[in-house]
Amino acid sequence: MRRDPALQSFVDALLAAYAEVIPGAEAADSLERITAALASPGTRRERAGGRLPVCAHLDAALGVEPGRPSLRRLVEAFRGIEPDLEWVRRASHDETASENFADGHANAMILGPAGLENRRDIWIGVSLLAPHVRYTDHSHAPEETYLVLSPGEFRQGGGDWFEPGVGGSFHNTPHIVHAMRSGEAPLFAFWSLWVDPAA
Ligand SMILES: [Fe+2]
């Protein structure tokens, strides 16, 4: 089985962009397992893609000059698959989310459960926040490595908010509570998770 060229270009561009900024040994191990998994393509979802109203901010988010050739290539590859993505709202949130959260965010699974490539061993996707949105605190068993392509702040556990910057990356350990928030600009970030079959 072969992955279609647009999605394969995205996978190649994403892995190349991560390779330039791997934030530590845990992320390196995780990305290595993700890279190995990606060598076997999964089943392509046939359902049509679709946007949510908040996706009106996509053009602004993708218009940020990323500063590195690898990131420019990633943005171009992402544009190639975006029309096929199904943008959705997160199913639940708590009082940590801002009032405008429901209509102010969208997520799209690219490779993972119900993703464009439907599979269970990895979750690779993207989040978009409109300006001035605080995403709900959340946690999950798989560890996660972010690749951020916009301004915006992130938080892990009870720590301080930090800004990775355009092209920045950081790693979330299993089950750690985390969140993100946008300022004046939309927030746009990829996330890659490896699902431990033994967990
Ligand atoms: Fe997460």
Side-chain angles (χ1 to χ4, degrees), residues 138 140 144 146 178:
H138 64 288
H140 37 72
E144 172 177 48
Y146 269 85
H178 54 285

mmCIF file of all heavy atoms in Angstrom, residues 138 140 144 146 178, ligand 1:
data_model
loop_
_atom_site.group_PDB
_atom_site.id
_atom_site.type_symbol
_atom_site.label_atom_id
_atom_site.label_comp_id
_atom_site.label_asym_id
_atom_site.label_seq_id
_atom_site.Cartn_x
_atom_site.Cartn_y
_atom_site.Cartn_z
ATOM 1 N N HIS A 138 -6.106 19.816 29.507
ATOM 2 C CA HIS A 138 -6.410 18.436 29.140
ATOM 3 C C HIS A 138 -5.166 17.576 29.329
ATOM 4 O O HIS A 138 -4.061 18.101 29.509
ATOM 5 C CB HIS A 138 -6.921 18.349 27.693
ATOM 6 C CG HIS A 138 -5.907 18.760 26.669
ATOM 7 N ND1 HIS A 138 -5.517 20.059 26.476
ATOM 8 C CD2 HIS A 138 -5.182 18.028 25.797
ATOM 9 C CE1 HIS A 138 -4.603 20.109 25.518
ATOM 10 N NE2 HIS A 138 -4.379 18.882 25.080
ATOM 11 N N HIS A 140 -3.608 13.250 28.410
ATOM 12 C CA HIS A 140 -3.828 11.976 27.729
ATOM 13 C C HIS A 140 -2.635 11.074 27.977
ATOM 14 O O HIS A 140 -1.534 11.562 28.286
ATOM 15 C CB HIS A 140 -4.052 12.184 26.225
ATOM 16 C CG HIS A 140 -3.219 13.276 25.636
ATOM 17 N ND1 HIS A 140 -1.868 13.159 25.451
ATOM 18 C CD2 HIS A 140 -3.537 14.533 25.230
ATOM 19 C CE1 HIS A 140 -1.397 14.286 24.944
ATOM 20 N NE2 HIS A 140 -2.382 15.151 24.811
ATOM 21 N N GLU A 144 3.579 13.359 23.857
ATOM 22 C CA GLU A 144 3.229 14.244 22.740
ATOM 23 C C GLU A 144 4.360 15.239 22.476
ATOM 24 O O GLU A 144 4.918 15.801 23.416
ATOM 25 C CB GLU A 144 1.952 14.990 23.143
ATOM 26 C CG GLU A 144 1.501 16.089 22.226
ATOM 27 C CD GLU A 144 0.183 16.679 22.709
ATOM 28 O OE1 GLU A 144 0.067 16.990 23.922
ATOM 29 O OE2 GLU A 144 -0.717 16.830 21.884
ATOM 30 N N TYR A 146 5.025 18.719 20.354
ATOM 31 C CA TYR A 146 4.428 19.816 19.572
ATOM 32 C C TYR A 146 5.447 20.421 18.616
ATOM 33 O O TYR A 146 6.649 20.436 18.902
ATOM 34 C CB TYR A 146 3.962 20.928 20.507
ATOM 35 C CG TYR A 146 2.536 20.815 20.976
ATOM 36 C CD1 TYR A 146 2.209 20.034 22.082
ATOM 37 C CD2 TYR A 146 1.516 21.492 20.326
ATOM 38 C CE1 TYR A 146 0.903 19.936 22.531
ATOM 39 C CE2 TYR A 146 0.209 21.401 20.768
ATOM 40 C CZ TYR A 146 -0.089 20.627 21.867
ATOM 41 O OH TYR A 146 -1.377 20.531 22.299
ATOM 42 N N HIS A 178 -1.963 19.901 30.271
ATOM 43 C CA HIS A 178 -1.372 20.969 29.452
ATOM 44 C C HIS A 178 -2.457 21.796 28.776
ATOM 45 O O HIS A 178 -3.616 21.382 28.709
ATOM 46 C CB HIS A 178 -0.368 20.400 28.442
ATOM 47 C CG HIS A 178 -0.912 19.321 27.567
ATOM 48 N ND1 HIS A 178 -1.128 18.042 28.013
ATOM 49 C CD2 HIS A 178 -1.283 19.309 26.264
ATOM 50 C CE1 HIS A 178 -1.598 17.298 27.035
ATOM 51 N NE2 HIS A 178 -1.718 18.040 25.953
HETATM 52 FE FE FE B 1 -2.356 17.238 24.053
#
